[in-house]
């Protein structure tokens, strides 16, 4: 167990270091003067690199860009407003001004950044989105099957609570379709056990700090809580701090969603019960592969949907043993899938 924990800590450090190197001090990576006239340039807009999911996504993106020999220019939103659509619109406009071949975006909203996407495409800059779907046209998208993941989470809790019990949910930031899909899926999965009852469902805005504060309030109002599920690992890890403070870590079943190194480490330590792997490294690699195919006028899928995976004590070791080797295998598989391994 100790080795697993150490490997998880090393992964977080490695991914965070790589992500910071990508973002640079200004929040932008790449230099418009570095690439040759014929080099393919892909602009990328992510909400943040402080969230481990985005750090892993960024690593998959950069590894794919390196494999394909393209320049990746990453911009992130200000640290104090990572999920604000207005901040991302400004970031996208920054990229548009640089005239990349393609812009790849992880949207902060299903609807609120459509104008920036439309502006890019009106200027003949194709757009590839990931993570959530937007309600305007894009050239390609890659998402995980978030409803499937929510169903896996709900079904896990339903099966674990053999005698039923009280369940609480930490909801994500409104306005992102994938968050609602996760929550809808969780409700469906949990419904397999009629004796398991959701007694609280509150917004914690994908924040570790809010996850802790909201969970403290839920625990105070529901002292008999049997399980708590966060629609993201960041919220679930905040809930873990609340559980620890009350001596309930490992007693109240705690689940998350995303598949971050911190969540894997908490599962290995027996502090979290499960998470849903939203395959961030693979999604990052696929997003850049799609952008490259578009930039080279090659045939490409308009939409790619990736399966999510349940991670609990039975298989968490697979996620901690050799992350570099696993990422290398994933990268090779994505290159092969899109015919880019030649």
């Amino acid at each position: 167990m100790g080795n697993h924990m150490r490997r998880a800590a090393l992964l977080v450090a490695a991914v965070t270091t790589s992500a910071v190197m990508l973002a640079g001090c200004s929040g932008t990576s790449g230099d418009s003067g570095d690439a040759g006239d014929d080099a393919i340039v892909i602009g990328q807009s992510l909400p943040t690199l402080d969230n481990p999911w985005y750090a892993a996504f960024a690593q998959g993106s950069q590894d794919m860009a390196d494999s394909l020999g393209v320049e990746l220019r990453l911009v992130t939103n200000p640290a104090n407003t990572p999920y604000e659509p207005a901040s991302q619109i400004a970031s996208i406009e920054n990229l548009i001004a640089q005239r990349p071949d393609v812009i790849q975006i992880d949207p902060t909203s299903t609807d609120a950044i459509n104008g920036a996407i439309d502006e890019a495409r009106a200027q003949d800059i194709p757009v590839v989105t990931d993570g959530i779907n937007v309600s305007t046209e894009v050239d390609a998208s890659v998402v995980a099957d978030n409803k499937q993941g929510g169903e896996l989470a709900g079904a896990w809790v339903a099966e674990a609570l053999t005698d039923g019990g009280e369940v609480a949910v930490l909801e994500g930031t409104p306005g992102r379709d994938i968050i609602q899909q996760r929550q809808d899926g969780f409700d469906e999965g949990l419904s397999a056990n009629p004796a398991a009852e959701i007694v609280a469902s509150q917004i914690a805005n994908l924040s570790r700090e809010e996850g802790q504060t909201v969970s403290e309030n839920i625990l105070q109002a529901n002292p008999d809580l049997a399980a708590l599920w966060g629609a993201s690992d960041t919220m679930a890890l905040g809930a873990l701090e609340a559980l620890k403070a009350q001596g309930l870590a490992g007693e109240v079943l705690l689940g998350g969603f995303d598949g971050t190194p911190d969540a894997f480490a908490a599962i290995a330590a027996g502090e979290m019960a499960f998470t849903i792997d939203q395959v961030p490294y693979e999604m990052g690699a696929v997003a850049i592969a799609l952008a490259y195919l578009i930039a080279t006028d090659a045939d490409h899928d308009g939409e790619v949907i990736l399966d999510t995976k349940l991670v609990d004590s039975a298989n968490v070791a697979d996620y901690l043993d050799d992350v570099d080797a696993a990422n290398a295998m994933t990268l090779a598989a994505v290159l092969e899938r899109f015919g880019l391994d030649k």
Side-chain angles (χ1 to χ4, degrees):
M1 194 74 74
N3 288 336
H4 294 158
M5 294 289 286
R6 283 192 292 274
R7 289 189 184 104
L10 289 171
L11 173 61
V12 173
V15 168
T16 302
T17 299
S18 298
V20 169
M21 290 175 66
L22 285 173
C25 296
S26 66
T28 305
S29 75
D31 183 335
S32 58
D34 289 343
D37 291 341
D38 296 329
I40 292 173
V41 177
I42 298 171
Q44 184 176 59
S45 170
L46 302 183
T48 181
L49 292 175
D50 290 336
N51 182 315
W53 190 91
Y54 286 110
F57 178 94
Q59 189 64 62
S61 296
Q62 188 63 55
D63 288 351
M64 177 58 75
D66 291 344
S67 295
L68 298 173
V70 305
E71 180 185 350
L72 184 62
R73 297 178 186 169
L74 168 65
V75 296
T76 58
N77 299 339
N80 60 334
T81 56
Y83 301 109
E84 288 292 330
S87 296
Q88 187 165 44
I89 289 170
S91 294
I92 295 169
E93 289 174 344
N94 178 343
L95 289 174
I96 292 171
Q98 297 179 44
R99 304 297 305 173
D101 295 283
V102 182
I103 295 178
Q104 196 279 305
I105 302 170
D106 187 292
T108 52
S109 170
T110 299
D111 304 306
I113 69 163
N114 287 353
I117 292 172
D118 293 343
E119 180 183 347
R121 298 184 77 239
Q123 296 193 34
D124 295 322
I125 303 173
V127 173
V128 175
T129 57
D130 76 89
I132 75 173
N133 290 310
V134 292
S135 53
T136 192
E137 288 191 28
V138 297
D139 295 272
S141 68
V142 52
V143 296
D145 191 336
N146 282 269
K147 187 172 183 184
Q148 173 211 32
E151 290 173 355
L152 289 172
W156 194 101
V157 175
E159 184 175 353
L161 298 182
T162 54
D163 297 323
E166 297 182 353
V167 180
V169 173
L170 299 179
E171 301 176 16
T173 307
R176 309 184 82 198
D177 68 333
I178 61 167
I179 298 300
Q180 191 61 52
Q181 290 167 13
R182 294 177 189 183
Q183 292 162 190
D184 291 345
F186 182 82
D187 290 345
E188 289 188 20
L190 187 67
S191 68
N193 184 346
E197 177 188 7
I198 295 178
V199 295
S201 186
Q202 297 183 23
I203 294 171
N205 286 312
L206 306 177
S207 163
R208 194 164 183 154
E209 292 75 17
E210 290 190 48
Q212 179 174 351
T213 302
V214 172
S215 296
E216 288 169 350
N217 295 334
I218 288 175
L219 289 167
Q220 184 175 5
N222 302 276
D224 297 325
L225 199 67
L228 196 162
W229 176 68
S232 77
D233 283 345
T234 50
M235 295 188 295
L237 290 163
L240 177 57
E241 296 306 313
L243 291 170
K244 285 180 177 179
Q246 298 192 30
L248 296 173
E251 294 186 23
V252 174
L253 294 176
L254 177 62
F257 197 117
D258 277 337
T260 62
D262 284 351
F264 298 150
I267 293 169
E271 296 174 335
M272 276 182 67
F274 69 90
T275 188
I276 303 299
D277 180 15
Q278 200 200 352
V279 293
Y281 183 91
E282 180 181 2
M283 193 179 296
V286 170
I288 299 308
L290 289 173
Y292 177 83
L293 290 171
I294 292 170
T296 55
D297 296 321
D299 291 338
H300 65 277
D301 297 319
E303 181 182 46
V304 176
I305 300 175
L306 304 176
D307 286 336
T308 57
K309 302 166 188 174
L310 180 83
V311 183
D312 60 11
S313 60
N315 64 343
V316 70
D318 297 339
Y319 289 79
L320 297 174
D321 278 341
D322 196 338
V323 173
D324 288 342
N327 285 348
M329 290 178 61
T330 297
L331 184 66
V334 174
L335 287 165
E336 182 180 5
R337 172 178 180 173
F338 294 100
L340 298 170
D341 56 339
K342 300 168 183 176

